[in-house]
Amino acid sequence: MPRPPEQSRTDPRRHDREIIALALPAFGSLVAEPLFVMVDSAIVGHLGTPQLAGLGVASALLTTAVSVFVFLAYATTAAVSRRVGAGHLAAALRQGIDGIWLALALGLLVVAFALPGAPWLVDLFGASGTAAPYATTYLRISALGIPAMLIVLAATGVLRGLQDTRTPLYVAVGGFLANGVLNAVLVYGAGLAIAGSAWGTVIAQCGMALVYLYVVVRGARRHGASLRPDLAGIHNSARAGAPLLVRTLSLRAILMIATAVAARLGDADIAAHQIVLSLWSLLSFALDAIAIAGQAIIGRYLGADDAEGARNVCRRMVHWGIASGVVLGALVIAGRPLYIPLFSGDAVVHDAAFPALLVVAFVQPVCGIVYVLDGVLMGAGDGRYLAAAMILTLAVFTPVALLVPVWGGGLTALWGAMALMMVVRMLTLWLRSRSGRWVVTGASR
C-alpha cells in the first residue's frame, strides 16, 4: 500500500471517514456476539429455573475462557495491519494464518481440560445441586465449540488488519440468526432440552469459523501465502500475544474484585452492581469499536513508515474518544429513570444504582480516551507496556476497592474506585502516547 500523500495524511475529514468506516461495522459485530448468550437464555429459560441457572454458570465459564484469549484478535490485527501498510499482503496473510494455527492449538488444549474438568469447574462456581447437572451438560458440549470460537477471534484479527470490518459483521449476524434457529429446533423440535441449546451454539460457531477460514484461505491462495503451520511463525504470534494476555487477565481480575466487593455490601448492592456493570459493558462496546479502528489504522500507517500520519490519526481518534464519551455520559444520565426499572422493581436497588450510574456517566470521557489509546498502542504492537500499565492499575485499584466496605460509601464508593481505575489507565496510556516510544515503523515491530 503506497504512502498516503501529505495533504490526505493531515486531513481530519479523511481520518474521520476511515474511523467511521471501520468502527461502525466493528460495533455491530461486537454487539452481535453477546446476543448468543441472550438467545440461549431466552430459549432455555422456558425449560425451567434449574436449566436456566445451569446455563448461567456454564455461560460464565465459557465467556471467561474465550475472553482470556481475545489477544488472538488484538495481536493478529496489529501484525497484519503493519504488513498491509508495508505493502506485503502475502506476508500479512501468512502472519494471520500463523495466528489461526495458534488459535486452533489453544482451543484443543482448552477442550482437553474442559471435558474431564467440567464437573469440578461447575462446582467451583458454586452451582446448586439441581443446576449442576445441567451446567455440566451444557459446558461439556459447548466446550467443543471453543476451538471454533478462538479461530473466529484470530480470523477476525486478520480481516481487521486487512481493514475489513464488514465481513466480521456479516458473519456475526449470520451466526446469531443461525444460533437462534438451531436452538429453537434442537431444544423443542428435537426434544434435546439444554443439550440442544449447546449443540445449536456449537454448530453456529463452527459455521462461523468455516466462513472465516474460507475468506482467509481464499485471500492466501490469491497472494501465494502458504497455509501450512510454521512453528516459528506460531511462536512469534504467541510471543506477541503473551503481554496482551497479561493485560486481559489483569483487567478481568479488576472486574472480579469489584464484583466480590459488591457482594460483601449486601443483596441490594450486588443487584444494583450487576445492573450498572451491564450498562458499563454496553458502553464499552461503543468505545471498543473506535479502539478496533485504531488498531487497524495505526498498524497500517506504521507499516508504511508514516510516523507523522500515525500521530495525526492518534490525535484525531482521541478527539473521537472524548466526544463519544461525552455523548454516552449524557445518554446514561438521561436514560437512568428508564433503564434501571427494566432490571428491578426494588426501590432499594434503584437507590443504590442511581448514584453509581452518575459516576459511570461522568467518567465516560475518560473511558473514551482510555479505549482509544489502548487501541492505538495495540495497533503499534506495544503490548509489553500495556501489560505493565494494567498491572500497575490493578495494584492501585485493589487496595482502594477492598477498603470500600471499611470506609463506607456503598456501591457509589466502589464505582468511584472503578472511576479511579480508569483515570490511572488514562494517565499511563497518555504518558506513553506523549513519549512517542510507541511509534516504531516498519513491517514488524
Side-chain angles (χ1 to χ4, degrees), residues 297-321:
I297 296 172
I298 290 294
R300 194 188 77 224
Y301 272 91
L302 293 177
D305 293 323
D306 188 357
E308 185 59 29
R311 292 188 183 95
N312 289 335
V313 173
C314 177
R315 285 192 289 268
R316 191 61 182 173
M317 295 197 71
V318 168
H319 295 160
W320 270 85

Side-chain angles (χ1 to χ4, degrees), residues 412-429:
T412 304
L414 176 60
W415 276 93
M418 291 287 285
L420 172 64
M421 177 268 294
M422 294 304 294
V423 170
V424 173
R425 288 186 69 188
M426 181 187 71
L427 290 175
T428 57
L429 296 173

